[in-house]
């Protein structure tokens, strides 16, 4: 079930059988010459929605938290970012809203490595608020929070290594670009050429340094390898892994 196209009665009925919701979370940032700015939000959304389509009675999918922490990409037009403190506050509000209705388990499928530290900090703030509540736990529901990066499943990593033994990289990767091409095949850009073919690797700090070190936006990757067909394979494997893990999380 998809929350944005459900009614409040649908959600009330869902809560009668489950207290779990899945939320895709990503970022709005540049992804090199042939990657979409919304890649990190599109990937978890597409994967979660495919998982839901496999077992709609087992999964409720919330709206995508599409803007994350991407300050180091601000040297490239189109990037939109939150400060870590803003993102933490927004995640707290999303969580408190859901808890008020009775949700007790929130599974965040993440699409951006730069979100990881902030997501975990948000979890810590949410749990701390409960710990410091002078009312104790008696009058508040329990809450379980889980972050999973979509590429981190062993089955997904194995497939990506098989598809892209060289030039997979760490940003604007061949796998994430393929997933977005699967989602939007009419927007795929196989004609784009890149030089060097495999981008340089290195560390990141601020937006000025990033643009100097990685002038076309890529880090260690060759996303000219990306394809609609590869994306379909990756989404299928990732969706199965997400569905299995969400079922365990909800149990």
């Amino acid at each position: 079930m998809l929350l944005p196209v459900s009614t409040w009665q649908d959600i009330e009925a869902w809560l009668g059988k489950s207290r779990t919701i899945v939320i895709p979370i990503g970022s709005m940032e540049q992804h090199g010459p042939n990657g979409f700015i919304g890649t990190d939000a599109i990937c978890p959304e597409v994967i979660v929605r495919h998982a839901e389509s496999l077992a709609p009675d087992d999964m409720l999918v919330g709206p995508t938290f599409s803007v994350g922490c991407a300050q180091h990409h601000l040297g490239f037009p189109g990037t939109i970012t939150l400060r870590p403190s803003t993102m933490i506050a927004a995640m707290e509000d999303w969580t408190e809203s859901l808890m008020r209705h009775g949700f007790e388990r929130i599974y965040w499928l993440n699409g951006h490595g730069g979100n990881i530290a902030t997501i975990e900090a948000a979890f810590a703030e949410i749990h701390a608020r409960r710990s410091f509540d002078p009312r104790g736990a008696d009058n508040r529901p329990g809450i379980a929070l889980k972050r999973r990066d979509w590429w981190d499943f062993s089955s997904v990593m194995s497939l990506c290594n098989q598809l892209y033994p060289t030039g997979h990289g760490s940003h604007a990767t061949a796998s994430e670009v393929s997933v977005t091409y699967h989602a939007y095949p009419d927007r795929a850009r196989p004609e784009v050429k890149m030089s060097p073919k495999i981008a340089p690797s290195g560390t990141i700090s601020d937006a000025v340094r990033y643009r100097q070190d990685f002038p076309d936006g890529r880090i260690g990757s060759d996303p000219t390898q990306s394809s609609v067909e590869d994306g379909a394979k990756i989404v299928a494997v990732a969706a199965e892994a997400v569905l299995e893990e969400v079922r365990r999380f909800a149990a």
Side-chain angles (χ1 to χ4, degrees):
M1 189 159 67
L2 305 178
L3 186 146
V5 291
S6 300
T7 66
W8 69 263
Q9 293 99 328
D10 295 333
I11 304 306
E12 189 169 71
W14 173 267
L15 285 163
K17 67 173 186 176
S18 175
R19 299 296 171 125
T20 302
I21 186 169
V22 179
I23 298 177
I25 184 167
S27 182
M28 203 60 55
E29 65 190 49
Q30 67 81 23
H31 274 79
N34 72 340
F36 307 147
I37 290 172
T39 292
D40 287 349
I42 293 168
C43 288
E45 181 177 87
V46 168
I47 291 165
V48 163
R49 290 196 171 202
H50 185 65
E52 185 273 341
S53 73
L54 299 175
D57 292 336
D58 292 353
M59 188 180 295
L60 172 64
V61 178
T64 301
F65 193 113
S66 59
V67 176
C69 288
Q71 57 79 21
H72 48 287
H73 293 286
L74 282 173
F76 298 85
T79 295
I80 304 172
T81 188
L82 301 176
R83 288 177 170 83
S85 56
T86 307
M87 183 172 170
I88 289 169
M91 288 184 64
E92 287 181 290
D93 287 351
W94 281 45
T95 300
E96 291 284 345
S97 298
L98 293 167
M99 289 179 67
R100 188 185 191 284
H101 304 309
F103 286 97
E104 298 176 357
R105 294 179 172 272
I106 306 178
Y107 180 104
W108 301 78
L109 187 69
N110 179 43
H112 174 46
N115 282 345
I116 293 173
T118 304
I119 291 173
E120 293 299 327
F123 288 178
E125 289 284 358
I126 292 163
H127 290 308
R129 181 178 297 182
R130 177 177 169 81
S131 297
F132 281 108
D133 190 332
R135 296 172 297 171
D138 293 341
N139 298 316
R140 306 197 69 191
I143 186 70
L145 304 167
K146 183 175 181 61
R147 185 206 91 244
R148 171 65 77 174
D149 308 322
W150 70 261
W151 59 85
D152 198 37
F153 293 101
S154 60
S155 57
V156 175
M157 295 182 72
S158 176
L159 175 60
C160 291
N161 288 335
Q162 175 187 336
L163 293 172
Y164 314 112
T166 60
H168 187 230
S170 58
H171 181 68
T173 64
S175 60
E176 62 185 341
V177 173
S178 286
V179 170
T180 63
Y181 283 4
H182 164 67
Y184 297 94
D186 59 320
R187 302 278 183 161
R189 303 186 181 192
E191 75 284 355
V192 175
K193 307 299 181 186
M194 299 183 199
S195 181
K197 188 170 178 59
I198 297 177
S201 295
T203 58
I204 57 177
S205 55
D206 61 44
V208 174
R209 181 65 182 270
Y210 189 110
R211 186 65 189 257
Q212 291 172 347
D213 292 347
F214 312 107
D216 74 358
R218 299 174 295 145
I219 302 180
S221 66
D222 172 20
T224 64
Q225 304 176 84
S226 304
S227 71
V228 173
E229 295 75 20
D230 285 355
K233 295 174 185 176
I234 295 166
V235 168
V237 170
E240 289 282 2
V242 168
L243 180 57
E244 180 182 346
E245 186 165 80
V246 169
R247 282 171 168 163
R248 292 198 304 269
F249 181 63

